Amino acid sequence: MPNTKSQTPVLHARAARPALAAPACRKASAEQVQDGADTSVANRKSQISTCDGQSLKRALHAAGRWLERHAAVVNAINVFPVPDGDTGTNMLLTMNAALAEIERSPDDSVSDVAQAAAHGALMGARGNSGVILSQILRGFAHSLDGETILSPRAFALAAQEAHETAFRGVINRVPGTILDVAREAARAAQEAATRTEDIVEVLTEVVETAKATNILTQEQNPVLKEAGVVDAGGQGLVYILEGVLRYLQGESVEIDTEMEAVVDLKSTLGVGEEGYGYDVQFLIKGEALNVDEIRKTIDTMGESTLVVGDATTVKVHVHVHDPGVPLSYGVSQGVISDVVVENMEEQYQEFVMSRARETVATEEVTNIATVCVVPGDGLRRVFESLGASAIVRGGQTMNPSTQEILNAIESVDAEDVLVLPNNSNVVLAARQARDLSSKHVIVVPTKTIPQGISALLAFNYQADAETNADRMARAASEIQTVEVTRAVRSTQINGIEVTEGDVIGLFNDQLVAAGQDYTTVVLDVLSQVAVEDYEIATIYFGQDATQEEAEALADQITQTYPDLEIEVHEGGQAHYRYILSLE
Amino acid sequence: MPPVKIVVDSTADLPPDVTADLDITVIPCLIRFGDQTFREGVDMSRAEFFARLQTDPHFPGTAAPAPGVFEETYRRLAAETDAVVSIHLSPQYSGIFNAARLGAEAVADSLRVVLVDAGQISLGMGLITMVVAEAARDGASLQEILDLLDDLKPRTHLFATLNTLDNLRRGGRVSGLVARVGNLLHIKPILHVHQGQILLHDRVRSWERAQWHLVETVRTMAPFERVMLIHTQRPEAAQALGQALADLLPPHTYTFEVGTTIGIHVGIGAAGVAFIQAR
């Protein structure tokens, strides 16, 4: 392509070429390029108004280091399109591949540096954001072909082509992404280039616009809005542009003066520069504690250090990879207490996933609702986790009314409704509710909680209501239910003498055992079942039992049936101390 | 006319002897543990990978091959052929397809590259790729290969039971599906992959019952033209499926292991069946 842009008149540096600074200390990982001796700008205070190949090279290095400083933040806000928390890492690896190629390239005109960066990024692009970054650099380089000086006008044209190339590089474009940031940055560059011949002024405008545009992404993309974050790729591009500007302005990218907001975000997320580790907090109590000395020592162990206190009590907070290190040190200084150790990776993952939970992917949707009658908060959570659309509270001795079930049927946003009564005494009320409703309602006559869980598990998002009702009824029939409670009156059933207050065991709603103690009765019921035919027993303990008691029961069952896998869940139901399922 | 060349990315999970035999060019995806990056099937064996998956504190990341790697590969093939059929994972699940598209555009002046969304993952894609590569070896034209793909895709299914939901959850790619499985009970989801959709076919609480459900479903879809038994570090489960389906298996039914990129997302201990239904 013929190139005439290099004839554009440009002003030359209004300050002397930047003095070469000493190489800065920086972590070098396997992926990172070797720092050239001239890439640090830590000590440079001068400012330049145009940019030759050497300066472009250093500016891109500065951009890489600035992105590196903020990669963890970019990772943390990565919820779109895939909430896997690696946008910062991917952009950084892509940028590092570009920088490594620049180092390998023998020539350093603006054109050569840009070409090398583009080639390196193209070969080393990682992830969606990395691919887009590679396309930005490709367009940028293509436009700068033959240029020796990066004038404001050349930059503006290159920014425009960078955006256009990146735009073409994405198949499924949605509003509120790095593409918007690239587009607006290019527009700002063009506007600024008509007003000034100073590349620093142009970049200043570009960075301001890029930041403002990326803030808007949160409003444009519903996934970002839901998660309360800006676009991660867009933010990565902001850091890259900002790094370039910082270099041109003679500001450091090594010593961070604008980290306040970032530090705040990072401590919220528990994401450190070194990746994830442990957040350790404790108090040291003693006599004549040396706060300064402790602070100094703790500071060498990790980051985000906070050490405050006096001669008798010192509060320590630090992020480390091995919590044993600061804790052992604390013990050497005095008596430690109030120890809190948190795994920051777990917190971080939970944070990202909780933000991403509502993300609706491109998957099948159903318009069939399920209404489930459930006693107890624990069981409610189980049913909700399995996708129950509405829960009606109720069960043994607290049967819900027809009206309550009908209200739930009417409340769900679907015309097809499947009702799971989960108790033999609720089936009738559910059928009455069905007859009263104008919706298409099918009652799947589940008689116990385990049957209901089994039925709900069998719900198929692709099938219609009738098919689902059949599947669910069949699934309910495949599960065995054991319930234990206390007899409310003396009686004789199935040849078993029951005295009021006895523990009684029911197998699929039939009384089969009675005794004085819960564990004995449960084992008695199981002895009447071919337990070896089943793989998993699940114990849902009621509101009168504790987790420990349920686990002790599980241990007892394991001793008798070592092949049976046992899960314990809080059911929170009244009346039944334990509900067990066998499947 | 030189034969059409078949390119696929490493998520097709075909073993190296098969790809070498059928002259299939495989472009490796990238696996990242912390700061270290590996090319799938090139820098790290599956055994090493799965051992590390269980011990490394970092949950690995996966990334598509760079557009430049596709471009380079296509350029190399341009010396041998006029046409390439490049088969990849659906763009809705991965950036691989887009990277391939950018690579193909860069070589458009010297080579015809037809990109195909396999509508499948792992060995579902591998199966389609094998059949197409056999046709290419036997001299099928580009158009014949594309027609064959149109014919194969609707007939190709993959069913698999996952042993754990953790990997799918952490991988973040099918969060809607993951949310539907439910997180309180230790549920084994049975996934069904067909025509680009990854569907939750069933949710079952015990492995044995899940496999029984899977076999029951698969049996209703017989007869089969091709079948592959697949697993992640659980050959005995694939073998058990083979026994349960023995009367329906066509000749040349292989048992293959799912590779590292897909393995990260489905986790260890998964097993299933990929098949092409008979016409």
Side-chain angles (χ1 to χ4, degrees), chain A residues 178-224:
Chain A
I178 183 173
L179 290 178
D180 297 271
V181 178
R183 184 192 63 238
E184 291 306 306
R187 198 185 46 70
Q190 283 187 322
E191 274 180 23
T194 61
R195 282 188 276 108
T196 176
E197 293 290 348
D198 182 346
I199 191 78
V200 177
E201 273 182 53
V202 174
L203 253 299
T204 306
E205 291 282 314
V206 165
V207 168
E208 286 309 309
T209 304
K211 281 182 177 170
T213 307
N214 203 46
I215 287 167
L216 293 179
T217 59
Q218 191 177 339
E219 290 302 314
Q220 293 165 331
N221 181 332
V223 177
L224 300 178

Side-chain angles (χ1 to χ4, degrees), chain A residues 307-375:
Chain A
V307 176
V308 290
D310 54 33
T312 57
T313 308
V314 174
K315 162 103 179 157
V316 175
H317 170 269
V318 64
H319 292 173
V320 288
H321 282 284
D322 178 1
V325 176
L327 289 172
S328 304
Y329 172 72
V331 171
S332 76
Q333 297 297 302
V335 177
I336 67 170
S337 65
D338 296 19
V339 178
V340 179
V341 177
E342 284 172 345
N343 180 328
M344 295 196 291
E345 181 167 16
E346 276 173 17
Q347 291 177 341
Y348 166 71
Q349 282 293 342
E350 276 169 28
F351 174 80
V352 169
M353 294 321 294
S354 69
R355 286 175 151 188
R357 200 155 292 153
E358 301 302 320
T359 308
V360 179
T362 51
E363 292 157 38
E364 77 282 14
V365 287
T366 183
N367 49 7
I368 306 168
T370 45
V371 169
C372 305
V373 181
V374 179

Side-chain angles (χ1 to χ4, degrees), chain A residues 505-525:
Chain A
L506 292 81
F507 182 66
N508 292 337
D509 254 5
Q510 298 297 310
L511 191 144
V512 296
Q516 297 309 309
D517 133 278
Y518 290 104
T519 304
T520 313
V521 170
V522 169
L523 290 171
D524 188 358
V525 176

Side-chain angles (χ1 to χ4, degrees), chain B residues 150-172:
Chain B
D150 284 343
D151 169 52
L152 288 171
K153 280 160 61 175
R155 295 192 282 131
T156 307
H157 298 259
L158 185 149
F159 284 88
T161 307
L162 308 195
N163 193 43
T164 167
L165 202 58
D166 288 351
N167 296 64
L168 214 51
R169 182 177 289 128
R170 299 186 73 169

Side-chain angles (χ1 to χ4, degrees), chain A residues 77 79 218 222-230 355:
Chain A
I77 61 174
V79 296
Q218 191 177 339
V223 177
L224 300 178
K225 188 167 184 161
E226 183 77 36
V229 295
V230 296
R355 286 175 151 188

